[in-house]
Amino acid sequence: MTDALSGIRVLDTATLFAGPLAATLLADYGADVIKIEHPKGDPVRSHGAQRDGVGLWWKMLGRGKKAITLYLGSPEGQEIFRRMVADADVVIENFRPGTLERWGLGYDELRKINPGIVLARVTGFGQIGPYSKRPGFGTLAEAMSGFAAITGEPDGPPTLPPFGLADGIAALTTAFAVMTALRAREHTGHGQVVDLAIIEPILTLLGPQIIAYDQLGELQERTGNRSTNNAPRNTYRTRDGGWVAISTSAQSIAERVMRLVGRPELIEEPWFATGAERARHADVLDEAVGSWIAERDRDEVIKAFEEAQAAVAPIYTAADIMVDPQFDALGTIATLMDDELGPVKMQNVLFRLSETPGRITSTGAKVGAHTEEVLGRYDVTGEQLAELRAKGVIR
């Protein structure tokens, strides 16, 4: 079976986190991804949790990639990179705008070498504009997109997510953008630049905030776990100390929930007829639902909601996910062998294709694990490798 993206070669020069994750997603479906790291190693190798000095985040983010070291700021590294571009399809980078150009590796130069090359430039603020030269991280995008402003309790501060939300959204978008550019290349015969600003994709996912402000002058406020579009919608604590979340986006579901918790009279209230009106009476609905749930254990609550065909989900931790039968049926968690850690578990590929399902071929490799193998493809001899090591161009 041929992998869906077999034959596509990606040079991943990006770090922390959107660009590298986009390359990981492409690798999951068969792209030949070469991870080009500074000889010091990618910063994510020492970012976050570690076991015995081995970075766990790297094992996931570096999966399926050939790991080489190459200092692109050196003339020798630039010359080798140009050779690599000649038979590549995609370059993913997240240097500050102007860095590649300063190294003589800007798009105008790369397309002279390979007219079909797609250059994906993933930065905080994009390649143009007054903020383009600023350092950019996902946290700044979560702040500037409006996400933090609408997240948190009404009387609390704007709240940032405890993980790389904007980076993750940008990674998904970058992978889509790369495939769009490759599809366009089939029509035009040449590549192009993907200019992705991390501040933008998360803004799109936040919904109609912009058009609502444009047309109505409305600004969405913080509502905690509640929604302005429907109620009851919240998290509720169960008798045994667990938590569940429910949603009633559909009117029929809202009615089923009220019957289940023994408050059918609320259905007859005039305000119950629409989600927005129910949201204005969230205190009443939360009290009705919350008090019923508080008298029961989590498993009992979930069983009752399922029997009533009402929407409910337990609030999970990673420990719960690992043993959940639905995730198990989907194959959401994959087990792989790692040469440093032994068997490790991590999230599997994002989706299942019936003919080319995708697969994780390896965990993140050691620094420079494939340098000699990969550079050998580009006629770099053993003697030259030794010279490059002595100069600090490779590790």
Side-chain angles (χ1 to χ4, degrees), residues 260-306:
L260 173 63
V261 302
R263 299 294 300 276
E265 75 280 3
L266 293 177
I267 300 173
E268 304 305 318
E269 293 287 348
W271 50 262
F272 197 87
T274 69
E277 284 298 315
R278 292 200 310 274
R280 294 187 180 95
H281 293 79
D283 286 342
V284 174
L285 296 173
D286 274 345
E287 190 283 327
V289 173
S291 60
W292 185 91
I293 288 176
E295 297 174 352
R296 291 160 176 81
D297 291 345
R298 189 178 77 174
D299 289 348
E300 181 184 356
V301 171
I302 292 173
K303 181 179 179 182
F305 267 73
E306 288 180 346

Side-chain angles (χ1 to χ4, degrees), residues 107-108 111 117-121 127 181 191-196:
Y107 179 66
D108 288 344
R111 68 178 177 180
I117 197 72
V118 171
L119 176 61
R121 317 194 77 168
Q127 298 296 306
Q192 58 184 300
V193 175
V194 173
D195 177 7
L196 189 135

Side-chain angles (χ1 to χ4, degrees), residues 94-117:
N94 70 335
F95 301 108
R96 288 199 200 183
T99 301
L100 283 186
E101 285 75 12
R102 189 171 70 251
W103 290 340
L105 300 175
Y107 179 66
D108 288 344
E109 295 302 317
L110 299 185
R111 68 178 177 180
K112 291 177 184 176
I113 302 167
N114 180 352
I117 197 72

